[in-house]
């Protein structure tokens, strides 16, 4: 009975009206950050490098209909993302802007699986959640032009779901680190940190073991616990300090992770209470204080069902790896979309051979003719991408006149600082293997006694 | 009560940003040289610059000068005997190029040095056209397959070389040869000067390993040269890519018949780049400092095995493609093993990404 009451209490607490200010600041910061990120992507020339120049794109299963739109098309698409980001930040035509942002950003991410990054996935998810939240009803141009749209309060759960989403990211990232390599051997930190010995002051410690353990254990502890400390009002300011410290450190140590630290630093502000957010907004415009209560009118039963299913998926997807046999890092079955960030050091190289059974002729493939170096690198360690490429090769060589071409791969992968070993069964014709969510039997086992 | 909290977190944000900015600024300087574990990456880079890279360009500069003298002698009296006399000098210069082939970083990368010096096979039809017209622009990126050592090889030693240098195309042919040589000399002088004047400091002062850093660049270049050895130098002419159909005329140094010598020199110089010329200040020693002693030993061993295996193939490679298949197959297997060691094991151990391009990752 006690538990029941507690749950009942929590549910009623979630309905409690709170200021809409956190949603508004979150909307603005998110929009501005997405604009900056899009601009950076463009200026780095990555639109051309990743979405125009490649000859072949690694589709996601079920999203084979997503294609790059050509040089002009891709640039227009990025302009759409940039403009939508600014409109979201300004809160102008909010619902349309956020839907546009979500669809265009996600479309780009679905073009090529070799570009998968956890924080892109995170941005897509946040974009999706924001569609359903009335984040444009407070401190926005929409309400400036049409005060009827104004709201001042939202039920607590509307801010709670963003906090929950961030909490899930951290918690699953922490869970993923609880493996023997990370915790007991401090790998991959032991591999990555010596490369950072150029840093001033701390650089000299980078070859030592204790620093690798410190980074590993602190990283795991941080990910597992930070959301709880952020949720608790008493520990929140201190916890946010740690968020800043941690992510600035990751940005300094691992500059190649790009926007990720900034995304997390900015997003975590949502954990602060409405008072803090109101103060931030007042810095921008002093005149606005609302003493009245305006709640959004919503079809809440639909939203509750939808969000319930959404979060169920968010819980299940990162755990789906449990259904697969074998070493997760080796097979990577159930690896993506699971908040495994900078978790392992894995590299490989693959030689492909196309054989024509009727003539016995073998054609070795020059991967650089079909893939960018980045695609080649990503493909070489991920079975589903190897298979997709093998299928592509089969069609290409068939067009070149080969009859029923068979595709074989000779692949070597080094995982977490160990020596490279054969990854793919060289006797299996990959052209005849189908893409599926089933366990891939043609990937050689990590250990000989493994299934 | 709220503003207190805000002020606190606000000042915290500003403070940490300040620390962050201060730190990132400092990281550009070289005053801290960590020598923990007895290894100094800065000293390794100094060794590369002063004992390997700059001397290699300097020697190439001298060799190009000698080649120019010898070429002038030959084209002033283009006889078969003089052609034979030119060949060893041409070979020496080409062999010396193999020592800088891997150094395509910094100033060399900016001017696409290796591409202009050694894109093979050449487009002989276009070269012939250039010579007939007498007009061409060798500075264009699209002209990389009309110049460099492969073009000299064709124009000086190709089957029509003597005929062209003595017939009615003689004047234009001679001019083309000298123009190609002049462009090579100019490129090499430019790169060597930049190394001496400014890039050396930039190179030795950057001990990072992320994309674009000298260490990452070098390991990426090792992998690239291995890919070249496996593909264009041996595998593609041998017919690996084409179901056994061979392309002997696509070998490196085809007309002079020195392909195997060039491949051996390339790999030998790659080995001395890997072990820092045995000075104790090379990538192989860096691997030891990273507790990868076994890998370091294995890679050096595989270098030796592969070099010896290549040496069993007789020049010219164009005929060996038919007569010495067993040796080529054996060498090809060793090249593939070495390639995997460098591209996968060494890259992984040093935390360097083999991408030749810069993007975000996680």
């Amino acid at each position: 009975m006690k538990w029941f009451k507690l749950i009942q209490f929590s549910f009623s607490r979630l309905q409690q009206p709170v200021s809409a200010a956190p949603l508004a600041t979150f909307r603005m910061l998110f929009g501005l950050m997405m604009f900056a990120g899009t601009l950076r992507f463009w200026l780095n020339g990555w639109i051309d490098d990743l979405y125009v120049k490649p000859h072949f794109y690694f589709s996601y299963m079920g999203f084979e209909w997503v294609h790059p739109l050509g040089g002009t098309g891709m640039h227009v698409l990025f302009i759409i993302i940039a403009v939508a980001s600014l409109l979201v930040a300004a809160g102008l035509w909010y619902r349309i802007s956020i839907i546009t942002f979500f669809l265009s950003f996600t479309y780009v991410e679905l073009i090529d699986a070799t570009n998968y990054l956890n924080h892109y996935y995170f941005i897509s998810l946040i974009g999706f959640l924001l569609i359903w939240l009335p984040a444009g009803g407070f401190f926005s141009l929409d309400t400036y032009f049409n005060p009827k749209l104004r709201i001042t309060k939202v039920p607590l759960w509307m801010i709670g779901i963003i906090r929950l989403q961030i909490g899930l990211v951290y918690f699953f990232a922490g869970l993923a680190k609880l493996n023997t390599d990370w915790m007991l051997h401090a790998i991959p930190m032991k591999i990555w940190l010596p490369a950072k010995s150029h840093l001033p002051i701390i650089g000299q410690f980078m070859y030592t073991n204790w620093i690798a353990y410190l980074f590993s254990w602190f990283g795991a502890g941080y990910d597992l616990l930070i959301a709880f400390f952020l949720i608790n009002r008493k520990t929140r300011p201190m916890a946010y300090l740690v968020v800043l410290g941690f992510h600035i450190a990751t940005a300094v140590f691992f500059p190649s992770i790009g926007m990720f630290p900034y995304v997390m630093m900015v997003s975590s502000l949502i954990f602060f209470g409405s008072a803090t957010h109101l103060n931030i907004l007042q810095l921008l415009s002093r005149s606005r204080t609302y003493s009245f209560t305006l709640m959004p009118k919503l079809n809440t039963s639909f939203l509750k069902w939808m969000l319930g299913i959404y979060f169920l998926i968010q819980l299940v997807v990162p755990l789906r790896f449990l259904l697969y046999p074998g070493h997760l890092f080796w097979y990577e079955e159930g690896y993506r979309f699971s908040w495994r960030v900078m978790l392992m050091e894995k590299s490989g190289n693959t030689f492909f051979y196309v054989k024509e059974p009727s003539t016995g002729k073998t054609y070795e493939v020059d991967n650089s003719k079909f893939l960018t170096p980045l695609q080649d690198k990503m493909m070489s360690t991920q079975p589903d991408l190897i298979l997709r490429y093998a299928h592509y090769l089969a069609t290409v060589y068939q067009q070149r006149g080969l009859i029923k071409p068979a595709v074989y791969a000779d692949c070597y992968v080094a995982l977490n600082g160990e020596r490279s070993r054969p990854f793919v069964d060289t006797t299996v014709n990959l052209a005849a293997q189908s893409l599926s969510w089933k366990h891939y039997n043609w990937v050689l086992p990590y250990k000989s006694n493994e299934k | 009560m709220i503003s207190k909290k805000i002020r606190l977190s606000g000042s915290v944000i500003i403070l940490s940003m300040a620390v962050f900015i201060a730190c990132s600024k400092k990281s550009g300087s070289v005053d801290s040289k960590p020598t923990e574990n007895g290894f100094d990456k800065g000293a390794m880079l100094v060794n590369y610059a002063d004992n390997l890279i700059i001397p290699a360009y300097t020697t190439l500069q001298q060799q190009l000068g000698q080649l120019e003298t010898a070429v002038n002698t030959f084209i002033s009296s283009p006889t078969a005997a003089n052609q034979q006399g030119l060949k060893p000098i041409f070979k020496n210069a080409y062999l010396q190029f193999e020592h800088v082939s891997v150094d395509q970083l910094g100033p060399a990368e900016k001017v696409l040095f290796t591409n202009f010096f050694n894109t093979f096979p050449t487009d002989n039809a276009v070269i012939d056209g250039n010579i007939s017209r007498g007009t061409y622009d060798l500075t264009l990126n699209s002209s990389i397959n009309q110049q460099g050592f492969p073009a000299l090889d064709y124009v000086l030693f190709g089957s029509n070389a003597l005929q062209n240098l003595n017939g009615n195309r003689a004047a234009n042919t001679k001019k083309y040869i000298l123009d190609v040589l002049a462009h090579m000399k100019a490129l090499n002088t430019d790169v060597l000067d930049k190394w001496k004047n400014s890039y050396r400091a930039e190179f030795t002062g950057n001990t990072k390993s992320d994309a674009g850093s000298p260490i990452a660049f070098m390991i990426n270049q090792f992998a690239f040269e291995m890919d070249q050895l496996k593909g264009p130098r041996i595998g593609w002419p041998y017919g690996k890519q084409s179901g056994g159909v061979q392309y002997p005329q696509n070998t490196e140094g085809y007309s002079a018949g020195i392909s195997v010598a060039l491949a051996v020199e390339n790999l030998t110089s790659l080995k001395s780049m890997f072990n820092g010329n045995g000075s104790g200040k090379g990538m192989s020693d860096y691997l030891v400092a990273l507790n990868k002693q076994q890998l370091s030993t294995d890679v050096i061993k595989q270098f030796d095995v592969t070099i010896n295996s290549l040496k069993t193939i007789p020049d010219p490679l164009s005929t060996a493609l038919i007569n010495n298949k067993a040796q080529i197959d054996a060498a090809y297997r060793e090249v593939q093993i070495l390639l995997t060691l460098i591209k996968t094991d060494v890259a992984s151990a040093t935390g360097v990404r083999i991408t030749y391009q810069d993007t975000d990752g996680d």
Side-chain angles (χ1 to χ4, degrees):
Chain A
M1 278 315 276
K2 215 179 174 187
W3 276 107
F4 181 73
K5 272 192 179 154
L6 195 70
I7 291 168
Q8 215 176 20
F9 171 73
S10 334
F11 266 99
S12 63
R13 206 180 111 85
L14 284 174
Q15 301 299 338
Q16 186 187 314
V18 294
S19 164
L23 273 187
T25 41
F26 186 80
R27 183 202 78 223
M28 282 191 279
L29 289 169
F30 181 77
L32 289 175
M33 193 167 51
M34 290 308 105
F35 178 72
T38 310
L39 207 61
R40 168 175 174 269
F41 202 89
W42 184 307
L43 294 177
N44 277 329
W46 290 343
I47 301 177
D48 275 321
D49 285 349
L50 303 184
Y51 297 112
V52 182
K53 282 180 193 163
H55 306 288
F56 170 67
Y57 296 88
F58 291 85
S59 314
Y60 285 96
M61 241 186 277
F63 292 95
E64 284 83 359
W65 50 273
V66 177
H67 294 292
L69 306 175
T72 317
M74 286 313 294
H75 284 83
V76 168
L77 190 55
F78 271 83
I79 290 172
I80 292 173
I81 296 175
V83 171
S85 304
L86 283 181
L87 292 179
V88 166
L92 185 59
W93 306 307
Y94 171 72
R95 195 55 53 94
I96 294 166
S97 311
I98 190 66
I99 290 174
T100 308
F101 172 82
F102 166 73
L103 291 178
S104 51
F105 186 89
T106 308
Y107 186 90
V108 170
E109 294 321 312
L110 287 173
I111 291 173
D112 193 330
T114 57
N115 297 326
Y116 171 81
L117 286 183
N118 285 294
H119 70 269
Y120 292 153
Y121 175 48
F122 176 72
I123 289 165
S124 277
L125 293 181
I126 291 292
F128 177 77
L129 288 177
L130 282 176
I131 290 174
W132 308 100
L133 301 179
F138 190 77
F139 211 86
S140 67
L141 287 180
D142 280 342
T143 57
Y144 176 81
F145 292 126
N146 184 0
K148 273 186 209 157
L149 295 173
R150 181 174 294 151
I151 54 159
T152 60
K153 303 261 177 186
V154 292
L156 178 62
W157 64 262
M158 286 198 168
I159 294 158
I161 57 170
I162 296 179
R163 292 177 181 162
L164 177 60
Q165 180 60 62
I166 295 170
L168 285 174
V169 171
Y170 275 126
F171 190 69
F172 276 116
L175 275 187
K177 291 183 173 70
L178 301 181
N179 64 73
T180 48
D181 273 0
W182 185 278
M183 299 302 285
L184 300 184
H185 305 300
I187 280 175
M189 282 301 157
K190 264 185 202 166
I191 304 167
W192 290 339
L193 290 180
K196 309 295 165 188
S197 62
H198 60 272
L199 292 170
I201 308 161
I202 36 176
Q204 55 188 310
F205 302 115
M206 290 300 123
Y207 287 104
T208 56
N209 273 340
W210 65 265
I211 198 107
Y213 279 99
L214 181 77
F215 269 66
S216 302
W217 282 67
F218 185 78
Y222 170 86
D223 282 344
L224 282 172
L225 301 174
I226 192 66
F228 298 104
F229 286 117
L230 281 170
I231 265 292
N232 186 323
R233 190 173 298 154
K234 279 183 197 147
T235 52
R236 191 178 299 144
M238 203 52 216
Y240 193 70
L241 256 183
V242 177
V243 170
L244 290 178
F246 180 83
H247 286 297
I248 287 170
T250 55
V252 171
F253 274 90
F254 307 107
S256 67
I257 55 176
M259 293 291 287
F260 182 68
Y262 308 100
V263 171
M264 293 316 280
M265 282 192 275
V266 169
S267 304
S268 298
L269 284 170
I270 192 76
F271 283 95
F272 283 96
S274 38
T276 310
H277 286 273
L278 275 171
N279 272 290
I280 296 174
L281 293 178
Q282 265 169 358
L283 291 177
L284 298 172
S285 158
R286 288 177 183 280
S287 56
R288 288 157 196 251
T289 37
Y290 302 101
S291 47
F292 49 90
T293 300
L294 282 169
M295 288 278 278
K297 290 178 197 73
L298 297 159
N299 180 355
T300 44
S301 72
F302 165 74
L303 268 184
K304 274 175 195 162
W305 273 105
M306 205 262 313
L307 290 170
I309 294 167
Y310 172 90
F311 280 105
L312 192 68
I313 293 170
Q314 286 303 314
L315 282 174
V316 171
V317 166
L319 295 174
R320 73 191 186 284
F321 75 97
L322 294 169
L323 299 173
Y324 291 101
H327 188 19
L328 170 67
F329 291 1
W330 186 252
Y331 293 94
E332 293 198 42
E333 289 164 330
Y335 193 89
R336 274 179 228 127
F337 309 110
S338 307
W339 314 117
R340 303 177 197 282
V341 187
M342 295 201 72
L343 197 54
M344 60 176 180
E345 165 63 41
K346 196 177 183 189
S347 45
N349 62 304
T350 317
F351 311 109
F352 283 89
Y353 305 89
V354 182
K355 277 186 192 163
E356 188 175 38
S358 53
T359 58
K361 281 186 181 167
T362 303
Y363 301 78
E364 193 171 330
V365 177
D366 181 0
N367 289 342
S368 67
K369 289 265 184 342
F370 304 100
L371 304 178
T372 67
L374 186 78
Q375 288 179 315
D376 192 4
K377 183 203 145 60
M378 300 306 285
M379 176 274 295
S380 284
T381 58
Q382 301 179 45
D384 57 337
L385 303 185
I386 290 176
L387 196 57
R388 243 186 217 287
Y389 181 50
H391 289 175
Y392 169 69
L393 288 175
T395 46
V396 167
Y397 278 82
Q398 196 154 23
Q399 280 161 6
R400 290 184 184 179
L402 266 68
I403 298 156
K404 288 188 182 168
V407 181
Y408 300 89
D410 192 6
C411 180
Y412 299 87
V413 168
L415 176 60
N416 273 352
E418 288 184 22
R419 293 293 287 276
S420 62
R421 36 183 123 170
F423 190 59
V424 172
D425 188 340
T426 52
T427 63
V428 172
N429 172 14
L430 295 177
Q433 299 294 314
S434 53
L435 268 166
S436 77
W437 282 332
K438 285 190 204 132
H439 181 59
Y440 291 127
N441 291 312
W442 45 267
V443 178
L444 293 171
Y446 179 64
K447 291 187 189 110
S448 50
N449 58 356
E450 205 177 61
K451 266 193 274 180
Chain B
M1 61 157 197
I2 326 140
S3 54
K4 226 185 204 175
K5 250 187 210 167
I6 288 218
R7 234 174 276 152
L8 178 75
S9 33
S11 51
V12 159
I13 294 173
I14 291 163
L15 196 77
S16 24
M17 285 299 172
V19 171
F20 173 56
I21 289 159
C23 282
S24 32
K25 272 202 181 138
K26 248 186 263 166
S27 60
S29 70
V30 279
D31 45 9
S32 65
K33 272 189 186 166
T35 51
E36 286 288 312
N37 240 15
F39 195 78
D40 180 352
K41 281 188 262 184
M44 172 176 82
L45 293 174
V46 168
N47 177 48
Y48 276 114
D50 293 352
N51 300 326
L52 284 151
I53 300 174
I54 294 175
Y57 284 116
T58 310
T59 311
L60 182 57
Q61 189 76 346
Q62 292 158 2
Q63 302 267 17
L64 286 174
Q66 287 166 20
L67 179 62
E68 192 179 33
T69 314
V71 161
N72 272 313
T73 311
F74 168 59
I75 59 178
S76 65
S77 117
T79 63
N82 283 347
Q83 192 186 37
Q84 284 310 308
L86 173 65
K87 202 177 270 185
I89 297 161
F90 173 79
K91 184 178 173 182
N92 271 346
Y94 207 161
L95 290 176
Q96 181 59 32
F97 164 79
E98 299 295 343
H99 291 260
V100 301
S101 181
V102 67
D103 301 333
Q104 180 103 325
L105 48 99
E109 200 228 352
K110 278 204 190 82
V111 299
L112 299 175
F113 186 87
T114 301
N115 310 59
F116 276 103
F117 261 71
N118 197 30
T119 296
F120 62 93
T122 47
D123 193 330
N124 294 343
V126 175
I127 292 178
D128 290 341
N130 286 346
I131 290 173
S132 306
R133 278 195 319 277
T135 54
Y136 37 83
D137 184 353
L138 296 178
T139 60
L140 297 176
N141 283 356
S142 56
S143 71
I144 52 171
N145 59 356
Q146 303 155 30
Q147 56 184 304
F149 280 108
L152 288 181
D153 178 60
Y154 168 66
V155 185
L156 292 170
F157 304 105
S159 50
N160 295 330
L162 287 175
Q163 197 187 322
N164 286 339
L165 281 163
N166 288 300
N168 51 10
R169 286 158 51 96
N172 277 9
T173 309
K174 287 172 187 175
K175 182 176 178 293
Y176 194 73
I177 292 170
L178 293 177
D179 284 344
V180 167
L181 251 177
H183 191 222
M184 290 162 77
K185 278 180 74 181
L187 281 173
N188 196 61
T189 309
D190 175 54
V191 170
L192 181 58
D193 284 350
K194 283 195 179 124
W195 262 98
K196 284 181 178 165
N197 296 335
S198 55
Y199 187 67
R200 184 193 172 277
E202 195 183 316
F203 178 83
T204 57
N206 184 352
T207 54
K208 294 182 187 180
S209 308
D210 41 5
S213 66
I215 291 175
F217 244 119
M218 282 203 281
I219 289 173
N220 270 280
Q221 277 303 113
F222 290 166
F224 179 77
E225 287 293 324
M226 287 310 301
D227 275 338
Q228 294 299 104
L229 184 60
K230 180 177 173 290
R233 287 201 165 90
I234 300 173
W236 304 161
Y238 187 47
K240 282 282 180 188
Q241 205 183 11
S242 43
V245 179
Q246 299 191 337
Y247 297 92
Q249 71 281 10
N250 287 358
T251 50
E252 188 183 22
Y254 166 71
S255 299
I258 54 173
S259 315
V260 179
L262 291 170
V264 168
E265 194 75 7
N266 181 278
L267 198 58
T268 311
S269 109
L270 209 61
K271 185 194 162 192
S272 48
M273 280 297 279
F274 178 72
N275 70 11
N277 229 355
S279 62
K281 291 174 191 163
M283 286 294 175
S284 58
D285 308 290
Y286 179 41
L287 282 179
V288 174
L290 295 171
N291 295 318
K292 298 285 174 191
Q293 173 74 57
Q294 189 61 45
L295 176 60
S296 178
T297 316
D298 289 352
V299 174
I300 290 176
K301 244 188 242 163
Q302 187 59 30
F303 262 116
D304 292 333
V305 169
T306 314
I307 290 167
N308 287 331
S309 185
L310 279 177
K311 280 180 178 166
T312 63
I313 308 168
D315 257 326
L317 181 59
S318 45
T319 51
L321 292 178
I322 302 153
N323 301 329
N324 302 83
K325 288 192 172 185
Q327 287 95 320
I328 295 176
D329 282 328
Y332 192 76
R333 276 195 296 276
E334 302 302 341
V335 167
Q336 194 148 315
I337 294 170
L338 181 58
L339 190 157
T340 297
L341 278 174
I342 288 175
K343 220 172 175 177
T344 296
D345 297 60
V346 172
S348 184
T350 49
V352 167
R353 299 201 294 159
I354 305 284
T355 60
Y356 320 103
Q357 79 189 71
D358 178 28
T359 42
D360 290 345
D362 70 8

